[in-house]
Each structure stands twice: as C-alpha cells, then as structure tokens.
Amino acid sequence: MADWSPIAKVYDPLKAGSIDGTDVEPHDRAVWRAMGARYKPNKGVVGDPLLTLFVSRLNPQTTEDKLHKVFSKYGDIQRLRLVRDIVTGFSKGYAFIEYKEERSVVRARRDANKLVVDQHEVFVDFEQERTLKGWVPRRLGGGLGGKKESGQLRFGGRDRPFRKPINLGVDPVQERGGGGGVGGGREWDRPGGRNREDRDRHRTAEWGNRGRRDDRDRGREWDDRRHGDRSRHRDRR
C-alpha cells in the first residue's frame, strides 16, 4: 500500500484491465493481445515527449487552426499535429501539441481538460507513448481508456484511475464479520470452531431429521383420520 498510486507508473496490460490493479489472470482477448504485443514507439515522431500533450475526443470537424487558436493561450506552441486517416484524410479525433516551456504544458493539462471545443468536451493528458514504460496502444489491446461495450475498459490513467483495493490487510475472518472478540461472529467463523464440512454435515443431518419428523407427523395424522372414519361408521349403524 505504501507505493500504491491511482495512476500507472509502468504500463502493465493485466493491471490496466483491472479496476484496482489486482488481477492476476487476463479476463478478455484484448488483455491477451496487449500482453503478447511487442510494440516500440514510432521513431518518426519528433519533439520532446515531456513537453507534449495528448488531446482526444475532438470533433471530426475541428481543424489544426482551431486547435492552435484554443491551446496557444496556455503558452507558445512549438509543434501541433492533428492525426488524420492516411487514406481519407479525415481527422481521427486526437492530436499532439508540443509546447516550448514546461509550465505551458502543465497549465494546459490542468485547465484545458474537459474544455468544450466545437461542441465536444476534449480530454487532455501528457503524452504516454514515449514516457510510460511498457506502453501498448489501444489498437493492440492496450491503452488507458475505452468503453465497456467495446470490451476494452482500461484503468490507471487520468481519465479512469485505479480504485484503491479494499481487501488489502483485512483478515478473512474479520471480513466475514467474525471479529474474534467475545460473542463476535458465528461459531462456524470463529478460529477453532467447526469448519465448513462440519457445518454442511450438520445441516444435512438437521434436514434429514426434520424430514423424518414430518413423515412421522403425517403418519400419525393419517392414522387418526382412519380411526375417526371407523368411529363415525359404527355410530351410523
């Protein structure tokens, strides 16, 4: 718990696919793909990754000029790249903005997140491809985002941080409500008490005895009815 953080410091597809980073086995195909991916950052990308922002959820109609106008108020922009489809030329809805100064990056990340640009609320964070060790993009099953219906819910990022584990350092007996104090919890849950197998045998025997008692009661009732019918028949004669 001492080194726990809601934001991932090293990218692990298995942990990113877990709401609290405690999963030990892959639970969907995307996690398997990301774990098996051998991804290396694009060498053709230029600029300082520590001065670069990632901007996503853009309106498809948003242009480079509009982005430059909006984000230049946080500082001087060194480089801006709106990612477009190589075939159609249409915007893919995300961009990278490199500033000249570190304070400009910090300010833009703080103030521009959830800013509405062309009727779209944008998401802003530091670039992770070249700064987060082990990073795997979403197209290979990784990333830190996604939707539940797409099967790629990912955690550990600014938009969806890890939830703090609730079962760390909790004794299983206390978690079930045993307590361990005087009168705390059921006999089955107390240390030294009867175990689960004994409890199951006890319940089975209890139900069996109850069934036999019910059968005996029904037998007595049937006998009483028969004797009653005979008595009424003799009275009629």
Side-chain angles (χ1 to χ4, degrees):
M1 286 295 294
D3 59 348
W4 183 88
S5 172
I7 306 298
K9 298 178 180 178
V10 175
Y11 189 80
D12 184 345
L14 186 58
K15 291 185 177 180
S18 170
I19 194 170
D20 58 2
T22 59
D23 283 7
V24 294
E25 294 183 0
H27 54 79
D28 62 31
R29 294 182 180 179
V31 175
W32 278 111
R33 285 170 46 220
M35 291 176 64
R38 296 293 179 266
Y39 178 75
K40 294 182 179 180
N42 189 351
K43 294 182 179 180
V45 178
V46 296
D48 188 345
L50 300 179
L51 298 178
T52 304
L53 283 183
F54 170 70
V55 183
S56 64
R57 301 173 189 168
L58 295 170
N59 189 319
Q61 305 303 322
T62 300
T63 63
E64 287 88 347
D65 292 338
K66 183 61 179 285
L67 283 176
H68 195 283
K69 180 179 179 180
V70 172
F71 284 87
S72 61
K73 64 181 181 182
Y74 301 108
D76 294 333
I77 295 178
Q78 177 78 18
R79 192 176 287 102
L80 187 151
R81 180 170 68 97
L82 177 62
V83 180
R84 296 181 176 273
D85 188 278
I86 193 173
V87 177
T88 64
F90 295 153
S91 169
K92 287 190 175 184
Y94 63 96
F96 296 93
I97 301 175
E98 181 187 357
Y99 285 93
K100 293 181 179 180
E101 297 178 331
E102 183 179 355
R103 62 181 180 180
S104 301
V105 178
V106 175
R107 183 185 174 195
R109 180 181 182 269
R110 181 192 63 204
D111 298 339
N113 189 44
K114 297 186 178 181
L115 185 70
V116 177
V117 179
D118 292 336
Q119 293 79 48
H120 277 223
E121 186 180 271
V122 301
F123 171 72
V124 180
D125 199 1
F126 297 128
E127 180 193 341
Q128 295 180 327
E129 180 181 17
R130 294 179 292 168
T131 58
L132 189 62
K133 184 178 180 181
W135 173 255
V136 179
R138 186 177 172 188
R139 60 184 174 83
L140 296 179
L144 291 174
K147 298 180 180 180
K148 186 175 182 180
E149 54 267 26
S150 70
Q152 284 186 299
L153 262 179
R154 297 292 174 263
F155 301 87
R158 183 186 189 188
D159 186 43
R160 193 178 287 113
F162 290 129
R163 292 187 183 178
K164 198 167 187 178
I166 60 176
N167 60 343
L168 293 182
V170 178
D171 184 68
V173 174
Q174 295 179 355
E175 189 176 3
R176 291 195 301 268
V182 178
R186 299 179 180 178
E187 182 182 359
W188 310 111
D189 300 328
R190 295 176 189 159
R194 285 177 283 186
N195 57 27
R196 182 169 297 178
E197 294 181 0
D198 293 337
R199 177 180 59 189
D200 294 338
R201 284 196 294 269
H202 177 77
R203 287 179 176 174
T204 303
E206 183 179 355
W207 281 108
N209 294 333
R210 185 179 300 176
R212 286 193 290 271
R213 287 196 298 269
D214 293 342
D215 291 340
R216 288 197 295 268
D217 293 341
R218 283 193 293 269
R220 294 193 191 100
E221 182 180 356
W222 179 249
D223 291 338
D224 293 341
R225 287 183 180 179
R226 290 171 57 193
H227 292 316
D229 293 341
R230 290 176 183 174
S231 300
R232 285 194 296 270
H233 183 68
R234 284 197 295 267
D235 292 341
R236 288 176 184 174
R237 289 190 295 178

